[in-house]
Amino acid sequence: MGRIQLKRVQKKFGDVEVIPPLDLEIEDGEFVVFVGPSGCGKSTLLRLIAGLEDTTSGTIEIDGSDATATPPAKRGLAMVFQSYALYPHMSVRRNIAFPMRMAKMSREEQDRRIEAAARSLNLTEYLDRRPGQLSGGQRQRVAIGRAIVREPAAFLFDEPLSNLDAALRVGMRMEISELHRKLDTTMIYVTHDQVEAMTMADKIVVLHAGVIEQVGSPLELYRHPRNLFVAGFIGSPKMNFIEGDEAAGHGAHAIGIRPEHVDVSTTEGPWRGTVGVAEHLGSDTFIHIHGIPGCDPFTVRAPGDVAVSHGDAVFLTPSAPHIHRFDAKGLRIA
Amino acid sequence: MSTKASRSAAKVMISPAVLLLLGWMLVPLCLTLYFSFLRYNLLQIGDTPFAGWENYYWFITDPSFKAAIKNTLVLVGGVLAITTVGGLFAAILLDRPMFGTGIIRIMVIAPFFVMPTVSALVWKNMFMNPVNGIFGRVATSLGFQPVDFFGQIPMASIIMIVSWTWLPFATLILLTALQSLDQEQLEAAEMDGAGWWNRFWFIMLPHLARAITVVILIQTIFLLSIFAEILVTTNGGPGTATTNLTYLIYVSSLLQFDVGMGSAGGVIAIILANIVAIFLMRMIGRNLDA
Amino acid sequence: MARAVSRRTRLTNTAVAGALGFLMFFPILWILVLAFKTEEDAIRAPLEVLFGSGWTMESFTTVQERSDYFKHFSNSVVISLGSTLLGLLVAVPAAWSMAFVPSKHTRNVLMWMLSTKMLPPVGVLVPIYLIFRDLDLLDSRFGLTVVLMLINLPIIIWMLYTYFREIPGEILEAARMDGATLREEILYVLTPMAIPGIASTVLLNIILAWNEAFWTINLTASNAAPLTQFITSYSSPEGLFYAKLSAASVMAIAPILIMGWFSQKQLVRGLTFGAVK
């Protein structure tokens, strides 16, 4: 059980409104990702749900009952922090046991749950070590273990992978997704990394300056970004935006084309440009092209074996069905 | 991280400390201020009439007040000069690579842990005694007339004793500050062609500026209140040669039992200390933001 | 980083610094020597003292027999330990509040606490003396313990505050999420994590209280007199008995010297209120 509803939730620090009143519904069992650039209020929003901060106004309901004034410990939520926040003076076993100890759970039950969590997280042989003796990935798993044993109504993750190196991050991403499938518990996950958001979420909440820009499934956001911000934020490399005459020709203030929705040719096409930098990744080539009116450089995602080099003249053909149109306010024109 | 609950818990948790310190500061402070305007001597039984500025007047016009102010300044200034310059020298020395760093450092710092009464008595009797003291013996054996330290140069003697205690303090703090200096900065300067003196002057000294200021200010606070060293060596004498403000107030209040006069002196001492304190607090406050 | 230095430079540095160390340490060394001499030997010429006389423990026993040294020693222990522990009891919660639930007043409160430390003791000597007289606290260990606790409280709070600030708040939040009450959070999470900081705070405070020589001298006479006051009885003419003065001094400073050596680093933080680390 873990249905969370935010109703007109607002947060001010002093006179600064970090989060203007917003509404959000999170269904039971859903994997929701809050994503946005740093300082967009996503962590604050998570901490409001956790109860580590007070709402300035509005209500937070967990499973239908008002939890706005409930202290964090009583909300039945578990949190995995960015720094893992393990207790450095306790062994892994005692770290994982801590929430159960606080809940005065019986010793047998504690041991049973610790064993189960350790087994599923591959921590069995590390139970008697201190956090300081573990690698980053292992610490991360201990933090998750400590959250699992409480059998919470929902898990809150605050940028949990940002302290790991790139290779480990991919692995942990899968493990967390796996965990979600197995436990089927609500998870709210905060990140600034749109790749994490796209790969893990059932539902993405894009935040910008405390405001929810769009809520939807990863593909919805990719296919139908509601405004320029979401269009630019979701997808990598970033969408190309063209303003001016070309956009006006499409009846819009600005048009957006993703790098993967453009064909490159050395012979023909409506737009002509010169190759600047070509990044060869092996599987793909990202070509940065200069000289396209209204957008410089224009990025194109081409196949890995495309043979272009600096200074070559190229022609671009955008794929018409994939052109996104935006009005002067930056909103999508349907 | 704050919710209404944690904020109100924080208030409860901090209140004992605040109340205790508030009481400790306000009650005696108000009483001192109050007494300083009374004609109040513990030896005279009867009322303690209001005396206006009388106590202040007599305290300030007393020739020993002038002497005490001068002595206080000389004592504080002398010790500061010796300990700051000496401490800088010692810190730079101890920061260089050598054998047995730990032992040598401990030997230099040890005097700071010697209680003031012990250090004063040991110096007075075993070193500065003209007959049996080590200095006297060395002088005699070399054919010189031994110096009667507390008779001839009482203030210098006390400055020396106090400096012995505080030189380690200055050294320790400057050494700590020196060790936080980024070695790469020095190496970069060396690459840029700076010799030792230039590295000292343009890099080390500016880096230490803050620590030196802290040393000076904190020592000043403590040195203004030097008491035990004077009590066990000279009792403020000969005459008033080594009476500082603290000692003068002690004499008027606890030896002459003149509560009014002692309190007036106390108020003056508080004002003087506050002048230094304001500067010190600013320094520390700036650090708090960083 | 550290560069290789020639052996010769190293030796020169060692010689110069060693000379400085010896000069500074000599008075302490000297009382260490004289404490184990007879009175007659102690006033002989320095070289004769070192090489031409025997060693004895007699001064220590005389000091104890004549003036009940251990009474004063135990006063020092009770007063410095007592004031430190009392102070800790008040300071831990206060430092917790300021370090983990800072408000816009925190800075001012800290600075104000510090300012009480700047108050010259002589400025409040008279009223404190009179209050103690009226409450019958003069020459009592309890009274002195409380006074020393109060004068060192700002330092204890400051030191703990700077140590607590180094503990990431997320860990305490994690404890809170895990269902710990405030008491459990401080007892099971904060305190064990801050043990090194708390230990150095305790150490520094014991040193400061042990060596405090204004209030201990002015508020005690004989019963509650700690070692600072006891030593003043050697002021004159007993101070001329070098062996006994040395023995008494050695016993008075030994415990603190040892503690001091352990707390060099923390001392800097404590005495500069975190302005130099």
Side-chain angles (χ1 to χ4, degrees):
Chain A
M1 288 300 284
R3 194 176 124 84
I4 297 169
Q5 279 176 296
L6 308 189
K7 293 181 177 163
R8 308 306 296 159
V9 166
Q10 183 204 26
K11 178 66 183 175
K12 285 186 189 172
F13 287 117
D15 293 332
V16 187
E17 188 177 54
V18 201
I19 296 177
L22 62 75
D23 295 292
L24 183 66
E25 276 192 38
I26 295 163
E27 297 301 330
D28 184 30
E30 223 173 8
F31 196 119
V32 177
V33 174
F34 294 170
V35 69
S38 61
C40 69
K42 56 192 189 295
S43 282
T44 307
L45 192 56
L46 189 74
R47 293 166 59 82
L48 287 174
I49 296 173
L52 294 170
E53 302 279 355
D54 287 327
T55 56
T56 307
S57 65
T59 54
I60 297 174
E61 286 179 12
I62 298 174
D63 288 330
S65 60
D66 186 352
T68 317
T70 314
K74 302 269 157 59
R75 296 192 182 193
L77 308 174
M79 184 148 167
V80 175
F81 290 84
Q82 182 171 11
S83 65
Y84 319 137
L86 300 180
Y87 310 121
H89 56 291
M90 298 182 194
S91 65
V92 170
R93 181 187 301 279
R94 307 230 309 145
N95 258 286
I96 298 177
F98 191 77
M100 299 186 284
R101 210 171 118 209
M102 292 299 107
K104 314 254 177 328
M105 204 177 277
S106 77
R107 274 314 277 267
E108 300 74 53
E109 181 62 15
Q110 287 190 25
D111 287 340
R112 197 185 61 73
R113 291 193 186 188
I114 292 170
E115 293 306 327
R119 221 175 310 117
S120 73
L121 292 164
N122 281 327
L123 286 171
T124 311
E125 42 190 313
Y126 305 109
L127 277 179
D128 295 312
R129 297 213 191 158
R130 293 276 174 97
Q133 301 165 294
L134 302 180
S135 69
Q138 288 164 342
R139 285 183 212 184
Q140 179 67 73
R141 284 204 284 270
V142 176
I144 294 173
R146 191 173 64 184
I148 292 178
V149 291
R150 296 183 54 191
E151 301 183 348
F155 290 93
L156 311 179
F157 292 92
D158 189 6
E159 306 228 15
L161 305 185
S162 56
N163 286 336
L164 297 179
D165 64 47
L168 218 47
R169 213 177 296 166
V170 177
M172 280 311 296
R173 217 157 72 192
M174 311 249 276
E175 278 190 48
I176 293 175
S177 295
E178 200 69 42
L179 190 71
H180 177 240
R181 212 148 300 139
K182 209 162 67 190
L183 297 175
D184 211 21
T185 310
T186 312
M187 290 189 177
I188 305 177
Y189 187 105
V190 163
T191 181
H192 62 269
D193 180 354
Q194 60 97 20
V195 177
E196 278 178 27
M198 294 294 284
T199 50
M200 300 171 84
D202 295 326
K203 181 156 98 186
I204 297 181
V205 178
V206 182
L207 285 154
H208 178 46
V211 177
I212 296 181
E213 297 285 349
Q214 190 170 4
V215 179
S217 74
L219 286 181
E220 253 172 74
L221 299 195
Y222 179 79
R223 289 184 186 139
H224 309 290
R226 210 171 65 88
N227 55 32
L228 279 174
F229 179 80
V230 179
F233 193 79
I234 300 289
S236 170
K238 276 180 65 166
M239 185 185 280
N240 299 294
F241 294 112
I242 299 177
E243 291 182 3
D245 294 344
E246 190 63 46
H250 285 84
H253 176 75
I255 55 171
I257 305 122
R258 296 198 184 275
E260 52 270 41
H261 296 145
V262 181
D263 280 331
V264 193
S265 149
T266 48
T267 52
E268 56 178 346
W271 297 339
R272 186 179 187 281
T274 334
V275 173
V277 176
E279 299 173 286
H280 295 279
L281 302 184
S283 57
D284 296 303
T285 306
F286 297 146
I287 312 170
H288 301 275
I289 293 162
H290 300 286
I292 307 293
C295 177
D296 194 86
F298 189 100
T299 311
V300 172
R301 177 181 191 157
D305 53 5
V306 72
V308 292
S309 51
H310 182 80
D312 290 356
V314 286
F315 298 90
L316 307 180
T317 313
S319 146
H322 291 112
I323 292 177
H324 303 268
R325 299 183 304 144
F326 300 96
D327 65 16
K329 283 185 193 146
L331 291 178
R332 179 182 192 82
I333 303 173
Chain B
M1 57 167 255
S2 56
T3 57
K4 275 181 215 96
S6 67
R7 277 195 299 277
S8 53
K11 273 188 201 122
V12 175
M13 306 269 279
I14 201 173
S15 45
V18 169
L19 290 178
L20 277 173
L21 284 174
L22 204 64
W24 167 247
M25 192 172 80
L26 273 186
V27 173
L29 211 57
C30 294
L31 282 174
T32 302
L33 209 58
Y34 171 63
F35 290 155
S36 73
F37 290 106
L38 296 184
R39 195 173 296 150
Y40 184 6
N41 190 309
L42 292 179
L43 295 181
Q44 289 157 0
I45 301 161
D47 8 321
T48 53
F50 181 72
W53 294 96
E54 199 176 87
N55 287 318
Y56 289 92
Y57 177 77
W58 289 118
F59 192 83
I60 289 174
T61 52
D62 185 337
S64 46
F65 173 71
K66 230 170 106 191
I69 291 288
K70 196 195 100 208
N71 289 334
T72 307
L73 292 179
V74 170
L75 179 58
V76 172
V79 175
L80 279 182
I82 294 175
T83 54
T84 317
V85 175
L88 196 57
F89 170 77
I92 291 172
L93 186 62
L94 290 178
D95 194 35
R96 315 195 72 179
M98 63 179 84
F99 299 106
T101 320
I103 294 279
I104 292 175
R105 195 171 294 173
I106 282 166
M107 283 175 32
V108 173
I109 289 161
F112 189 66
F113 303 113
V114 176
M115 58 176 65
T117 43
V118 165
S119 87
L121 278 177
V122 166
W123 278 98
K124 176 192 176 187
N125 291 309
M126 291 161 60
F127 287 84
M128 293 173 166
N129 181 300
V131 185
N132 285 326
I134 287 192
F135 291 153
R137 279 180 180 279
V138 171
T140 325
S141 69
L142 293 176
F144 294 108
Q145 180 69 29
V147 181
D148 175 8
F149 283 91
F150 291 103
Q152 290 168 312
I153 45 163
M155 187 46 100
S157 310
I158 289 183
I159 289 177
M160 191 183 152
I161 296 175
V162 176
S163 299
W164 183 67
T165 306
W166 285 95
L167 179 64
F169 172 80
T171 307
L172 189 60
I173 286 175
L174 295 178
L175 183 60
T176 310
L178 207 53
Q179 283 168 342
S180 72
L181 174 60
D182 182 8
Q183 284 300 313
E184 286 189 358
Q185 257 188 52
L186 286 178
E187 286 174 359
E190 210 179 336
M191 295 295 290
D192 290 342
W196 190 89
W197 174 255
N198 280 325
R199 270 178 280 155
F200 172 76
W201 189 256
F202 290 109
I203 300 193
M204 281 157 99
L205 213 54
H207 176 78
L208 289 179
R210 195 190 151 71
I212 292 174
T213 322
V214 169
V215 164
I216 290 177
L217 292 172
I218 289 179
Q219 282 203 45
T220 307
I221 294 287
F222 281 94
L223 295 177
L224 282 173
S225 302
I226 288 287
F227 169 74
E229 288 88 339
I230 297 174
L231 177 76
V232 297
T233 53
T234 62
N235 269 317
T240 53
T242 55
T243 299
N244 68 352
L245 193 55
T246 301
Y247 199 78
L248 182 66
I249 297 166
Y250 161 78
V251 170
S252 13
S253 36
L254 292 196
L255 296 185
Q256 294 164 358
F257 299 102
D258 192 338
V259 170
M261 191 85 105
S263 298
V267 172
I268 292 170
I270 291 170
I271 292 170
L272 285 181
N274 269 331
I275 297 173
V276 183
I278 286 169
F279 286 103
L280 179 55
M281 304 269 289
R282 263 205 208 141
M283 292 267 322
I284 294 170
R286 212 173 301 149
N287 191 57
L288 206 59
D289 300 328
Chain C
M1 279 293 296
R3 252 182 302 182
V5 182
S6 81
R7 209 180 148 75
R8 245 185 73 194
T9 338
R10 220 173 245 270
L11 279 173
T12 323
N13 289 343
T14 311
V16 181
L20 176 73
F22 181 76
L23 265 172
M24 292 297 287
F25 195 66
F26 183 73
I28 298 172
L29 192 69
W30 197 238
I31 57 173
L32 264 172
V33 170
L34 291 196
F36 294 96
K37 298 290 176 184
T38 60
E39 290 298 348
E40 297 77 54
D41 285 337
I43 51 169
R44 289 159 76 178
L47 288 178
E48 280 179 51
V49 173
L50 269 183
F51 302 110
S53 60
W55 303 87
T56 172
M57 291 288 286
E58 114 191 350
S59 303
F60 289 96
T61 42
T62 328
V63 167
Q64 165 60 16
E65 277 163 21
R66 281 242 205 107
S67 44
D68 199 2
Y69 172 85
F70 280 105
K71 181 177 88 181
H72 304 294
F73 181 84
S74 67
N75 282 341
S76 270
V77 171
V78 167
I79 290 164
S80 50
L81 275 183
S83 66
T84 304
L85 293 181
L86 263 179
L88 217 51
L89 221 59
V90 180
V92 169
W96 172 88
S97 309
M98 291 192 286
F100 297 112
V101 196
S103 71
K104 55 181 187 290
H105 303 297
T106 301
R107 195 193 133 94
N108 291 332
V109 172
L110 270 168
M111 296 309 280
W112 166 73
M113 285 183 168
L114 190 58
S115 74
T116 65
K117 186 68 199 163
M118 311 272 163
L119 200 64
V122 76
V124 291
L125 171 64
V126 177
I128 296 291
Y129 185 85
L130 295 180
I131 292 171
F132 267 52
R133 187 196 60 180
D134 294 343
L135 294 178
D136 211 11
L137 284 174
L138 284 176
D139 205 15
S140 81
R141 296 201 288 201
F142 173 74
L144 200 54
T145 304
V146 170
V147 166
L148 290 191
M149 186 269 265
L150 288 168
I151 63 166
N152 286 330
L153 192 57
I155 294 192
I156 306 191
I157 294 178
W158 260 83
M159 276 186 85
L160 288 178
Y161 170 76
T162 61
Y163 283 113
F164 284 1
R165 272 221 315 193
E166 285 168 12
I167 292 174
E170 278 197 349
I171 294 191
L172 299 190
E173 289 180 342
R176 222 167 293 163
M177 292 292 295
D178 281 347
T181 61
L182 186 55
R183 197 182 64 86
E184 288 166 331
E185 173 188 324
I186 291 182
L187 220 57
Y188 298 142
V189 180
L190 177 63
T191 310
M193 282 183 69
I195 280 290
I198 293 177
S200 26
T201 308
V202 166
L203 220 55
L204 174 67
N205 258 276
I206 292 177
I207 295 172
L208 290 178
W210 186 280
N211 287 346
E212 204 288 328
F214 183 82
W215 295 110
T216 50
I217 290 175
N218 283 314
L219 295 180
T220 63
S222 61
N223 274 336
L227 291 167
T228 39
Q229 164 74 308
F230 160 72
I231 293 289
T232 60
S233 66
Y234 282 83
S235 179
S236 66
E238 253 185 286
L240 295 174
F241 294 101
Y242 287 0
K244 279 191 273 302
L245 170 61
S246 298
S249 301
V250 165
M251 292 193 284
I253 64 174
I256 286 316
L257 268 182
I258 294 165
M259 283 185 158
W261 289 343
F262 284 115
S263 65
Q264 288 176 52
K265 275 266 158 199
Q266 289 69 33
L267 198 79
V268 175
R269 195 200 283 242
L271 287 175
T272 63
F273 302 99
V276 174
K277 268 187 214 160

